[in-house]
């Protein structure tokens, strides 16, 4: 099972529901510029136990002055689930939007399956290339200037591999996460349950691997099964003797992180964090 929340995505082991792994964002960074304006959100999430300070060691992580890092003990998707519940919205997953039309001053949204539905307001949060693929009136409402701007957005592409282990398995490393700079395939590794401070003798550990951008771009069109084997081979060179996982989940991130807009390249931060 996978709780789909975009980059705030948490996967569950098919063999042990209590074993989870964050496939997207690994931790949330509160910048000093946003600490005041976002204080009430952090206070609420900390009080509810949905966030807690990151205290486990992450080797190679760069922390700037004034920044604070947090993890989600129940998985990063629990934050999205909380706000969706608070909103009172009727949420439907697995419905890919194909067109948006204007009908009698309301927005009619069509999906690959199911009948069209009408709404007062539509908010699009998908990557720019997905917006440009939409059919219907929305395509005509995008000005030529806006279209050029959307077309100019470039993204990094990566894979994430989540590994689930049987209860009692030991992964003997001194860190909870590590940035890798010397491997062509692997950029980041995290012992996910250790990072989130939820180690338990009754639930096996979980591990996540994020690939480098060049590896992701090179292998983006290959099957996830083939890519999974390639990552596992490279993981053996980084962590020799790692136990064999009981289950695995390979996630393709075709549009992972905005890298630039037009000729302006953004300063690329760690893929593993969300900055707020």
């Amino acid at each position: 099972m996978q709780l789909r929340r975009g980059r705030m995505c948490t996967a569950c082991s098919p063999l042990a529901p209590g074993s989870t792994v964050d496939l997207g964002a690994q931790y949330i960074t509160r910048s000093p510029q946003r600490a005041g304006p976002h204080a009430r959100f952090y206070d609420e999430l900390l009080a509810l136990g949905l966030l807690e300070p990151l205290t486990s060691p992450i080797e190679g992580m760069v922390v700037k002055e004034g920044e604070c890092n947090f993890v989600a003990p129940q998985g990063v998707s629990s934050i999205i689930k909380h706000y969706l519940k608070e909103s009172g919205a009727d949420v439907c997953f697995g419905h890919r939007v194909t067109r948006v039309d204007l009908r009698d001053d309301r927005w009619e949204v069509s999906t690959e399956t199911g009948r069209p539905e009408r709404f007062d307001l539509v908010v699009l949060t998908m990557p720019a290339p997905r917006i440009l693929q939409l059919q219907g009136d929305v395509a005509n409402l995008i000005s030529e200037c806006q279209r050029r701007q959307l077309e100019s957005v470039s993204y990094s592409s990566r894979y994430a591999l989540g590994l689930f282990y049987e209860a009692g398995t030991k992964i003997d490393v001194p860190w909870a996460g590590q940035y890798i700079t010397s491997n062509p395939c692997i950029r980041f590794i995290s012992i996910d349950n250790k990072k989130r401070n939820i180690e338990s003798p009754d639930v096996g550990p979980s591990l996540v691997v994020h690939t480098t951008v060049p590896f992701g771009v090179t292998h983006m069109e290959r099957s996830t099964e083939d890519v999974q084997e390639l990552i596992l081979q490279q993981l053996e060179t980084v962590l020799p003797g790692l136990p064999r996982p009981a289950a695995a989940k390979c996630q393709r991130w075709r549009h992972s992180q905005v890298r630039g807009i037009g000729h302006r390249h953004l300063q690329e931060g760690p893929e593993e964090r969300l900055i707020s």
Side-chain angles (χ1 to χ4, degrees):
M1 177 183 179
Q2 182 176 334
L3 304 177
R4 296 185 179 274
R5 306 284 187 269
R7 282 185 69 200
M8 301 184 76
C9 169
T10 303
C12 301
S13 168
L15 305 178
S19 179
T20 61
V21 65
D22 285 332
L23 293 177
Q26 296 295 299
Y27 54 92
I28 296 174
T29 299
R30 184 180 65 192
S31 64
Q33 297 84 357
R34 304 289 179 83
H38 292 177
R40 65 185 182 91
F41 299 109
Y42 281 95
D43 290 344
E44 176 187 7
L45 294 173
L46 288 165
L48 292 171
L50 296 177
L51 274 186
E52 63 178 38
L54 171 62
T55 57
S56 301
I58 308 293
E59 291 189 359
M61 181 172 69
V62 177
V63 181
K64 298 180 180 179
E65 184 178 356
E67 288 184 343
C68 294
N69 295 300
F70 301 87
V71 291
Q74 301 173 43
V76 73
S77 68
S78 64
I79 298 173
I80 304 303
K81 290 168 65 177
H82 165 69
Y83 285 120
L84 288 175
K85 182 179 179 181
E86 288 291 299
S87 73
D90 183 12
V91 182
C92 297
F93 297 106
H95 296 268
R96 181 170 182 173
V97 174
T98 56
R99 63 182 298 135
V100 180
D101 293 290
L102 192 59
R103 298 281 189 267
D104 301 325
D105 294 327
R106 299 190 74 197
W107 293 105
E108 184 176 87
V109 178
S110 302
T111 62
E112 287 181 331
T113 58
R115 60 182 178 81
E117 294 188 59
R118 294 190 180 185
F119 303 91
D120 297 317
L121 181 69
V122 174
V123 179
L124 303 175
T125 64
M126 69 273 276
R130 298 287 188 238
I131 294 177
L132 294 172
Q133 290 173 0
L134 291 175
Q135 301 174 350
D137 293 333
V138 68
N140 301 324
L141 292 172
I142 298 175
S143 70
E144 189 60 33
C145 178
Q146 291 170 334
R147 182 174 296 277
R148 286 196 300 268
Q149 290 176 329
L150 289 171
E151 289 173 344
S152 73
V153 180
S154 60
Y155 293 83
S156 61
S157 299
R158 300 176 188 258
Y159 283 90
L161 178 63
L163 303 176
F164 303 96
Y165 296 87
E166 295 180 350
T169 302
K170 301 295 183 183
I171 301 178
D172 190 17
V173 292
W175 40 262
Q178 184 182 57
Y179 285 93
I180 308 295
T181 58
S182 58
N183 188 277
C185 169
I186 297 174
R187 177 66 179 110
F188 180 79
I189 303 173
S190 174
I191 314 302
D192 202 56
N193 58 309
K194 185 176 182 179
K195 177 202 68 185
R196 292 189 275 142
N197 297 315
I198 55 170
E199 293 178 286
S200 167
D202 301 321
V203 180
S206 58
L207 182 150
V208 66
V209 178
H210 282 186
T211 71
T212 63
V213 171
F215 177 90
V217 171
T218 300
H219 300 284
M220 189 50 49
E221 304 307 326
R222 296 188 64 170
S223 71
T224 53
E225 291 79 11
D226 288 347
V227 173
Q228 177 174 310
E229 287 305 313
L230 293 175
I231 297 174
L232 287 173
Q233 291 171 16
Q234 291 294 322
L235 185 60
E236 177 63 26
T237 68
V238 177
L239 294 177
L242 190 69
R244 185 173 183 83
K249 168 63 181 178
C250 188
Q251 174 71 47
R252 177 188 289 117
W253 296 111
R254 185 178 298 275
H255 303 111
S256 177
Q257 184 182 36
V258 174
R259 302 193 72 185
I261 302 174
H263 298 296
R264 181 167 62 93
H265 291 277
L266 304 181
Q267 183 176 1
E268 186 171 353
E271 183 75 12
E272 294 68 33
R273 71 173 180 174
L274 287 178
I275 303 177
S276 173

